Amino acid sequence: MDKLVVGFVGGDTDLDKAIQYFSDAEKYNITHAFTMILDSTAESKGVKEIDDPYPGFWLHSPMKFVNDKTARFIEIDVPYIGFAEDMARKLIGSAYGYSSCLAFVLRKVFHINFPDNIHSCDCSEAQTMILRATGLRVYPHIQANEVSPLMAFRWVMKHGGVDVTSRYRKD
């Protein structure tokens, strides 16, 4: 088995509060998911960063969340890290999946399945796709676009995730 580090971070913006509300995460500060892969922080964001050409899935500095006090770094065993790396490479440049956020709300509130757009993804959808690419059965009964950051965190912890945040703190 190989090891993969996935991360979760929170915030206090209005968008973070909405994510917390719709994903029942008020008691958790988890509103964003990312993966430490390809010597980078791989993430899909709805707001572009300075060097990103548009909002979407990009590789950022591996130091990005190191000093963020809300960040949690969780290590999980995966059958083969190469499959995760391949999926991350395929996702690079994907547009941010605003429709994925809508899909989660529609499923949660109205029990409606919303079609997945394979050309875009949100943060937890990307993380779910990366984990699934390794053969892990992350919420196999629902589409990747219906997984929230908190759901991803709970799945990883339930399936052997180990908190390695102290490895990433540079205080």
Side-chain angles (χ1 to χ4, degrees), residues 51-169:
D51 294 330
D52 299 343
Y54 50 84
F57 186 90
W58 301 104
L59 302 180
H60 296 124
S61 167
M63 301 299 291
K64 180 172 181 180
F65 293 111
V66 166
N67 290 318
D68 186 320
K69 300 293 184 209
T70 68
R72 296 180 188 185
F73 296 83
I74 310 296
E75 186 175 76
I76 188 166
D77 288 333
V78 296
Y80 178 61
I81 194 73
F83 294 141
E85 292 169 342
D86 290 345
M87 179 55 75
R89 284 185 193 96
K90 286 179 187 174
L91 291 173
I92 293 171
S94 297
Y96 184 76
Y98 298 102
S99 64
S100 296
C101 299
L102 175 62
F104 174 77
V105 172
L106 288 174
R107 182 176 181 283
K108 171 147 178 66
V109 177
F110 300 106
H111 308 289
I112 297 171
N113 288 330
F114 189 82
D116 197 2
N117 179 348
I118 61 170
H119 302 294
S120 67
C121 59
D122 68 13
C123 65
S124 49
E125 178 182 10
Q127 187 183 74
T128 299
M129 291 170 66
I130 289 169
L131 288 167
R132 284 180 178 176
T134 71
L136 296 177
R137 295 180 43 81
V138 181
Y139 295 109
H141 59 286
I142 62 174
Q143 298 176 111
N145 68 336
E146 296 174 331
V147 176
S148 72
L150 179 61
M151 288 172 67
F153 173 76
R154 286 182 170 153
W155 189 93
V156 168
M157 295 307 291
K158 181 178 180 181
H159 292 87
V162 176
D163 192 324
V164 294
T165 302
S166 61
R167 259 196 244 159
Y168 290 85
R169 291 291 185 249

Side-chain angles (χ1 to χ4, degrees), residues 25-37:
E26 287 95 354
K27 59 186 169 196
Y28 298 90
N29 194 359
I30 296 176
T31 58
H32 181 61
F34 57 92
T35 306
M36 302 302 293
I37 197 165

